[in-house]
Amino acid sequence: MAFRAGLQEGLPFPLWCQGALEAVQVLFITVLVTLVPALAAWASGAWAEASWVDASVIGGQWWLSAHGVPLERSADAAGGPGILWFVPLGLSLLTLLLSWRAGRRLARASWSHQLWQGIAGAAIVYAVGGAVIALLARSAASSAAWWWGALVPLVPVLLGLVAGARREAGSFGRLIGVDAADRIRRASQYSRWAGSYVWAVVRAGLLGWVCAFALSAVLLVIRLALHWVDVINVALELAPGAVGGAVLAAGQAVYLPNFALWTLSWVSGGGFSVGTSASFSPFEAHAGPMPSFPLAAALPADLVGAWWLLAVPVVAGIVAGWWFLREGENHLEESLQLRFGPRWLALSASTLLLGVFVGAVAGLLSVVASLLASGSWGIGSYTDLGPHVWLTALLLTLEIGVGTTLGYLVAPLFERDPVLDA
């Protein structure tokens, strides 16, 4: 009777099992997204001498690349040995979104002190799945070590799980079972001011970088629209056929976030490289041999001297500075005024420091994003692809920092004080 009652009420489901099932769902969808195009391309005759097993291996290697796993090219590969590591960020974003959804579901199914069980179950299953794919997706031309297949995919998956769980919980304090409000109440007033200021600066830096990236993405879309005929002509020269053309278009689309980050590097003045013999920036362009990649037809070789586009990151910084003013968390100015007296001195010093801090946050984000958008095809001269990381970060720090300073100073001219206007 007790057993029948248990079946009627529902058997207890361990949280680590639910995490494992969530990981299986993410694995299944991401494998499907990479395997189906590979098999479709094979069926359309893309690899004439290959079997469906070879096409499946290629799909598995696409899955590994989408998760940031480096592939080692053998000496038998066309072009010789090398390391292939060029992450299609569009597919990586898909993994993040699916993991974010799984994290929210796990947070709803657990107490804060139990959440680690679901995340651990999901991580173990995903690591095992990645190792199996790395072992199966081996060819004479390229392969990946199974331990890289197990460990590297955990980075986007764990980020997505934690971000989704945090979104569901509402705060990191609730996520780990800590009463954050009580801790804040016990802190001194100066500690609360400092914490609020630092958090506002971090969000302003993030906003500045996101605005610069969004504007760069718009510029990329405009550039592609203006050179759409050139892009189509390069695609037609490859003669992919109907199915192959659809796979080729999808393959271009998953790299659009990478190219948007390249555009951001370009508008900052830092520029980017397409191999060791080609680089582009607003000040100079060296167009070496280009790959048969349709989107390469829109490279900005004809925009040398378009220095006015350097205003894009400055505009993003102005938005960040304006937002910071509306947030009302400039406690540094209040502290400096209490210590040194004259408001003009406190305003000048705090505004300059605000530009430095916000620009530094945006610069750090730029380093991470540029590294993710960079890579190597491991073939010939195509061993250096992507933004000039450190120069881009330095210039974005300066440009967004200057824009933040201007935005914070100019915003009061357009903002209305509801108390004084009442």
Side-chain angles (χ1 to χ4, degrees), residues 61 63-72 83-87 130 134 143-154:
Q61 292 185 352
W63 184 93
L64 293 170
S65 295
H67 287 76
V69 179
L71 298 173
E72 185 176 358
I83 298 296
L84 172 59
W85 189 85
F86 191 54
V87 183
S143 62
W146 67 267
W147 55 86
W148 285 126
L151 297 177
V152 176
L154 288 181

Side-chain angles (χ1 to χ4, degrees), residues 321-338:
W322 199 317
W323 176 89
F324 190 87
L325 176 76
R326 293 178 63 89
E327 189 69 4
E329 295 290 354
N330 194 0
H331 301 297
L332 180 60
E333 178 184 346
E334 300 167 2
S335 178
L336 291 176
Q337 187 173 359
L338 290 174

Side-chain angles (χ1 to χ4, degrees), residues 103-201:
R104 294 196 64 179
R105 289 163 61 92
L106 289 176
R108 286 196 294 265
S110 64
W111 300 101
S112 57
H113 64 280
Q114 297 176 327
L115 182 61
W116 68 270
Q117 300 175 19
I119 292 179
I124 291 172
V125 170
Y126 212 84
V128 171
V132 171
I133 292 173
L135 289 173
L136 295 178
R138 290 174 173 268
S139 66
S142 58
S143 62
W146 67 267
W147 55 86
W148 285 126
L151 297 177
V152 176
L154 288 181
V155 177
V157 169
L158 288 177
L159 284 175
L161 287 172
V162 172
R166 193 269 176 200
R167 175 67 179 83
E168 188 66 26
S171 69
F172 283 109
R174 293 179 182 176
L175 189 63
I176 59 177
V178 175
D179 191 347
D182 181 64
R183 286 180 175 268
I184 292 174
R185 282 194 300 268
R186 286 185 290 166
S188 66
Q189 182 64 49
Y190 291 105
S191 297
R192 292 198 292 270
W193 281 350
S196 299
Y197 179 80
V198 170
W199 181 231
V201 165

Side-chain angles (χ1 to χ4, degrees), residues 313 317 351-352 354-356 358-360 396-406:
T351 304
L352 288 175
L354 174 65
V356 171
V358 173
L396 279 179
T397 298
L398 294 174
E399 292 158 354
I400 292 181
V402 169
T404 300
T405 302
L406 293 175

